[in-house]
Amino acid sequence: MSSRDVILGRVRRALADVPEDEAPYEAAVRRGYHRRHGRRTTAETVDLLAENLADYRALVHRTDTAGLPGLLARLLAERGSTSVLVPSGLPSGWLADQPAEQVPDAAGDTPHRLDRVDSVVTGCAVAIAETGTLVLDGAPDQGRRRITLVPDHHICVVRVPDQVVSSVPEALDRLDPSRPLTWISGPSATSDIELDRVEGVHGPRTLEVVLTREG
Amino acid sequence: MTGTFVGMPAFPSAARKALSNETLRGNLRYATHTIRAKRAGAVSELDDWAALREAGREIKDQALRHLDRYLLQMEEAVTAAGGVVHWAADADEANRIVTGLVKATGESDVVKVKSMATQEIGLNEALEAEGIHAYETDLAELIVQLGKDRPSHILVPAIHRNRGEIRDIFTREMSEWGRPAPEGLSDTPAQLAEAARLHLREKFLRAKVGISGANFMVAETGTLVVFESEGNGRMCLTLPETLISVVGIEKLVPTWRDMEVFLQTLPRSSTAERMNPYTSMWTGTRDDDGPRTFHLVLLDNGRTDTLADRVGRQALRCIRCSACLNVCPVYERAGGHAYGSVYPGPIGAILSPQLRGTASEIDASLPYASSLCGACYEVCPVAIDIPEVLVHLRERVVEGGPVVRQGAKVTLRPARGHAAERAAMRAARWAFSHPGALRAGQRLASGARRLTPRTLPGPGRAWTATRDLPALPPEPFREWWRRTRQQEAGRPAPADRGEDQQ
Ligand code: SF4
């Protein structure tokens, strides 16, 4: 007998007490919790996102579509970045003003090559105000999971208010589980040494978020 | 389950030893109190916490009550998404499968994400025996591995180490494993973290095989979910060409929507954050993004036996947040090592004896490693009634009775006569002779007070019928300790206790 059959057989014997006609899953789980916490206007939701991002030590900036290229150029320059990773679908105008070398996200790149790039700029799929979380789903403006991991500096552009939701349940509604998803709340951090929080162990040590108003 | 530490004394004696270690107690008290206070704050932000907790309990119960169906659904979804599913009935089989998969890649180094399931089965040792080096990449696990030590906490495995000890371990050991610690390394957390970053990065960048566990598996979609903070998880899950995930069969949730509950309750209960820095979710393999080969090893190793116990099966709801450790007065003083298993604290006291059986002295004593104060139940985000299971398991130990071991019904013999009483009483006396433990441990919720034992269950009842359990000791701990140790010096070991095959 295969271990698959052994395990399934043990499970079924263990559950002999469970009635065949037990209430179906949908009825058995009561979802009395909130879809979101509190009432907020759209502007307040964006403010809460900014506040919670900053609380987790992301650096938050605000601009509009016209101001975005200039702001990105300034952030990369302040950081002294000489090279920046660019996902294939990043809107072409975003990096128009900045002089650093642009490295396209390429499937054949080795991790060592990624390690030599200073910064990465991406969009995002959805941002969650209540938790200060950005979710990336690998869409063309976000690229492969590793490009937001290996470089030490990540700038993530969030279009407000379209890409902002209040809560975790609202975010899940928008996401496709068949895509690889990365949830990011602040820069990499550890509290393993006497519970002192230290930013940046393996992921980017600096996370900058640009909230961009469309128009 | 191979997680019993070799030569591990039963809980009371291990705890007594831990109590005499001032550094350990200091580190532990600071850590557990800090996390505990922060957690209360994070939880109070959500006014629907009770409803989230209830939903979490019901979701996990539903998954467990129809586990066969959800396992098959998971298998189908992962396979359809390009992954390969393996089934492992016990630790040896899981280790054989993983070792074989690594060998097939031709690699002799693997990077690992912190995973309790792989610790439970002793995977690193099994790989080492076949000439494969497994590198732990979580900072705390790295500290533990370099220090040739054992984890002592679910969330912060090196909680028992302070910064000076960590600096010494890094300076002494890092060069043995790869890039040495920087010259003149100080003991500031920032410098220590930087040393770990440099040491591990060279391993991440050339790793071809990654090994992980998972916090959740979603049956409906075949998705695996890993919560972490440092990014070492993302490194191991996305850079290698081959990813092998070893996951206990109880980690299933039925639907994608269920994650909305645990994404809210797990971070707040464990690290006391609104959200942990990184969560990765993946479904099978993906062209050009992440590993090209993905193996999922579904692990039983005592879980189906636990499922067969109608009272004890609720332990399988555990999402390993570690909140129960941080509120436990016994854990705070005894430390994680005293539990003699990879699952320490209150959850370890009910999970380990169920996964492994109660044949060994340490496993038989674990249900007594508690003052039954109920604080663990109050904080548990999936409402596991740990005191209820503890009392149930105490009865099992002293009265014996039917249990399932490796899928077969067996009858556990009651621990014989004086041996049972002694094993039970030594453990109970330990908990009850520590005024601090007892004081901190008075169960606050009035409805649960009945669980504070006035008498012992099972055969121990005869003993307590004629006398009360020891009250707060009139003598200082140190004198008590000297006195009872002398008394015990000449005693024979408790009689072994066994299981009869039916
Ligand atoms: S038993 Fe509950 S509180 Fe303890 S680790 Fe598991 S889920 Fe968390």
Side-chain angles (χ1 to χ4, degrees):
Chain A
M1 206 170 20
S2 72
S3 290
R4 180 177 185 272
D5 295 338
V6 168
I7 294 170
L8 288 170
R10 288 178 184 175
V11 170
R12 288 178 185 133
R13 282 197 302 282
L15 295 173
D17 61 308
V18 177
E20 290 273 334
D21 57 350
E22 195 170 70
Y25 169 78
E26 289 70 25
V29 178
R30 283 166 296 163
R31 297 186 188 268
Y33 51 88
H34 304 325
R35 296 303 295 164
R36 54 158 72 190
H37 295 87
R39 273 174 205 280
R40 280 177 295 269
T41 63
T42 305
E44 284 167 346
T45 303
V46 174
D47 287 347
L48 181 64
L49 173 67
E51 199 182 301
N52 282 338
L53 282 165
D55 196 30
Y56 278 17
R57 307 192 199 177
L59 308 173
V60 182
H61 313 273
R62 297 198 193 220
T63 185
D64 55 19
T65 311
L68 182 61
L71 176 61
L72 290 177
R74 177 167 69 78
L75 296 178
L76 290 166
E78 279 173 4
R79 171 93 188 173
S81 290
T82 59
S83 56
V84 55
L85 260 164
V86 185
S88 65
L90 200 78
S92 55
W94 286 10
L95 293 176
D97 289 355
Q98 66 83 39
E101 179 203 355
Q102 300 197 14
V103 181
D105 171 20
D109 273 349
T110 62
H112 281 100
R113 180 167 155 79
L114 296 178
D115 195 34
R116 288 195 292 271
V117 182
D118 295 324
S119 301
V120 57
V121 176
T122 70
C124 80
V126 63
I128 306 166
E130 286 181 8
T131 58
T133 302
L134 312 166
V135 189
L136 309 189
D137 71 355
D141 65 338
Q142 298 151 46
R144 280 166 259 268
R145 281 173 280 176
R146 58 190 200 172
I147 68 167
T148 54
L149 172 64
V150 181
D152 205 18
H153 178 219
H154 177 198
I155 304 177
C156 183
V157 178
V158 182
R159 299 168 206 239
V160 300
D162 295 7
Q163 292 185 318
V164 183
V165 297
S166 270
S167 66
V168 169
E170 289 176 352
L172 277 186
D173 280 350
R174 286 205 191 183
L175 294 167
D176 173 359
S178 71
R179 306 185 73 97
L181 302 175
T182 305
W183 298 54
I184 299 174
S185 307
S188 157
T190 183
S191 299
D192 280 345
I193 302 163
E194 295 185 20
L195 300 177
D196 269 359
R197 191 178 165 101
V198 178
E199 260 85 52
V201 193
H202 305 300
R205 281 180 281 199
T206 309
L207 172 66
E208 303 204 59
V209 183
V210 180
L211 304 178
T212 306
R213 185 162 295 282
E214 307 247 63
Chain B
M1 179 160 155
T2 58
T4 309
F5 303 171
V6 180
M8 180 56 75
F11 182 85
S13 37
R16 220 170 276 135
K17 184 160 166 276
L19 276 168
S20 64
N21 182 338
E22 286 293 335
T23 312
L24 172 87
R25 289 175 66 192
N27 293 352
L28 270 177
R29 185 179 317 109
Y30 169 71
T32 54
H33 282 252
T34 307
I35 307 180
R36 194 194 300 184
K38 273 179 66 191
R39 178 200 160 274
V43 164
S44 68
E45 267 188 18
L46 301 184
D47 59 2
D48 58 344
W49 185 259
L52 282 166
R53 185 180 188 236
E54 195 55 21
R57 181 179 76 79
E58 287 172 351
I59 289 166
K60 293 290 280 193
D61 266 354
Q62 281 302 303
L64 292 169
R65 290 175 77 81
H66 305 281
L67 191 58
D68 50 338
R69 189 166 86 219
Y70 292 123
L71 282 168
L72 291 172
Q73 202 183 357
M74 183 73 197
E75 178 185 51
E76 198 183 320
V78 170
T79 308
V84 184
V85 177
H86 310 259
W87 301 69
D90 57 25
D92 286 346
E93 187 173 17
N95 287 331
R96 263 200 315 278
I97 292 169
V98 177
T99 308
L101 291 170
V102 177
K103 280 188 163 174
T105 67
E107 294 294 314
S108 57
D109 286 349
V110 301
V111 287
K112 282 190 70 209
V113 194
K114 174 170 177 285
S115 137
M116 308 208 65
T118 61
Q119 275 171 31
E120 174 190 318
I121 62 175
L123 179 63
N124 290 7
E125 293 78 5
L127 289 169
E128 201 65 53
E130 297 289 325
I132 299 162
H133 306 293
Y135 297 109
E136 293 293 346
T137 63
D138 172 81
L139 177 53
E141 290 289 353
L142 176 73
I143 295 166
V144 168
Q145 188 176 46
L146 292 177
K148 301 179 181 67
D149 198 357
R150 287 283 186 175
S152 64
H153 189 281
I154 294 178
L155 176 71
V156 263
I159 200 169
H160 57 290
R161 295 289 198 184
N162 63 29
R163 61 186 71 192
E165 296 175 290
I166 296 168
R167 194 249 334 265
D168 295 345
I169 290 170
F170 279 11
T171 308
R172 201 174 57 233
E173 302 290 339
M174 267 185 173
S175 59
E176 293 282 307
W177 294 75
R179 183 173 173 147
E183 285 289 319
L185 180 65
S186 83
D187 67 356
T188 63
Q191 278 215 15
L192 295 172
E194 173 72 12
R197 179 186 177 94
L198 295 171
H199 178 79
L200 286 173
R201 186 153 283 228
E202 60 167 34
K203 294 200 167 58
F204 289 133
L205 297 185
R206 59 179 160 77
K208 296 280 186 285
V209 183
I211 296 180
S212 82
N215 295 87
F216 297 93
M217 303 188 281
V218 182
E220 175 184 51
T221 60
T223 308
L224 276 93
V225 186
V226 166
F227 289 65
E228 51 134 357
S229 294
E230 298 173 7
N232 66 306
R234 293 181 62 195
M235 292 275 182
C236 297
L237 298 171
T238 57
L239 294 185
E241 286 162 10
T242 301
L243 172 61
I244 304 166
S245 299
V246 182
V247 188
I249 54 175
E250 83 284 14
K251 297 273 170 149
L252 273 171
V253 297
T255 70
W256 171 241
R257 190 181 170 194
D258 296 331
M259 287 312 303
E260 71 191 17
V261 172
F262 303 108
L263 279 159
Q264 296 188 78
T265 53
L266 179 55
R268 287 177 204 262
S269 295
S270 66
T271 48
E273 294 168 300
R274 287 182 201 108
M275 192 68 87
N276 48 297
Y278 296 131
T279 299
S280 295
M281 302 179 174
W282 73 98
T283 305
T285 56
R286 186 99 186 163
D287 287 345
D288 296 342
D289 188 354
R292 285 197 300 267
T293 309
F294 170 57
H295 295 277
L296 171 62
V297 181
L298 295 170
L299 177 71
D300 178 349
N301 203 36
R303 286 159 177 77
T304 48
D305 294 342
T306 309
L307 193 64
D309 186 314
R310 292 174 197 186
V311 176
R313 67 166 60 136
Q314 59 183 304
L316 297 175
R317 291 204 297 260
C318 176
I319 58 174
R320 314 274 190 266
C321 71
S322 74
C324 58
L325 277 60
N326 299 325
V327 296
C328 178
V330 177
Y331 173 85
E332 181 191 325
R333 286 159 180 81
H337 291 153
Y339 295 80
S341 99
V342 297
Y343 303 103
I347 182 60
I350 62 169
L351 194 57
S352 302
Q354 295 201 84
L355 293 177
R356 302 195 295 216
T358 49
S360 75
E361 198 191 342
I362 177 83
D363 286 316
S365 69
L366 280 177
Y368 295 91
S370 168
S371 64
L372 295 181
C373 72
C376 49
Y377 169 68
E378 305 290 330
V379 296
C380 179
V382 284
I384 300 171
D385 195 337
I386 296 176
E388 180 190 20
V389 182
L390 284 166
V391 170
H392 170 72
L393 293 177
R394 287 179 187 188
E395 263 171 29
R396 269 283 161 282
V397 169
V398 288
E399 286 184 342
V403 293
V404 177
R405 296 305 304 155
Q406 289 166 345
K409 281 196 183 133
V410 296
T411 300
L412 192 66
R413 279 204 309 270
R416 264 168 283 142
H418 294 307
E421 180 181 297
R422 191 167 57 237
M425 286 316 300
R426 278 167 63 194
R429 189 178 56 210
W430 180 82
F432 280 86
S433 331
H434 293 81
L438 194 66
R439 237 192 341 267
Q442 293 301 337
R443 191 162 183 164
L444 298 174
S446 56
R449 263 201 88 84
R450 62 187 165 78
L451 288 170
T452 307
R454 294 284 164 255
T455 59
L456 281 175
R461 205 176 285 135
W463 194 88
T464 48
T466 52
R467 66 205 97 179
D468 283 336
L469 279 176
L472 302 188
E475 61 191 332
F477 169 71
R478 230 173 293 148
E479 277 164 47
W480 169 86
W481 190 57
R482 203 179 307 126
R483 184 172 57 77
T484 51
R485 232 198 9 175
Q486 274 165 7
Q487 278 175 8
E488 271 162 23
R491 285 183 182 177
D496 61 337
R497 144 185 326 103
E499 293 167 353
D500 289 332
Q501 200 80 31
Q502 258 188 355

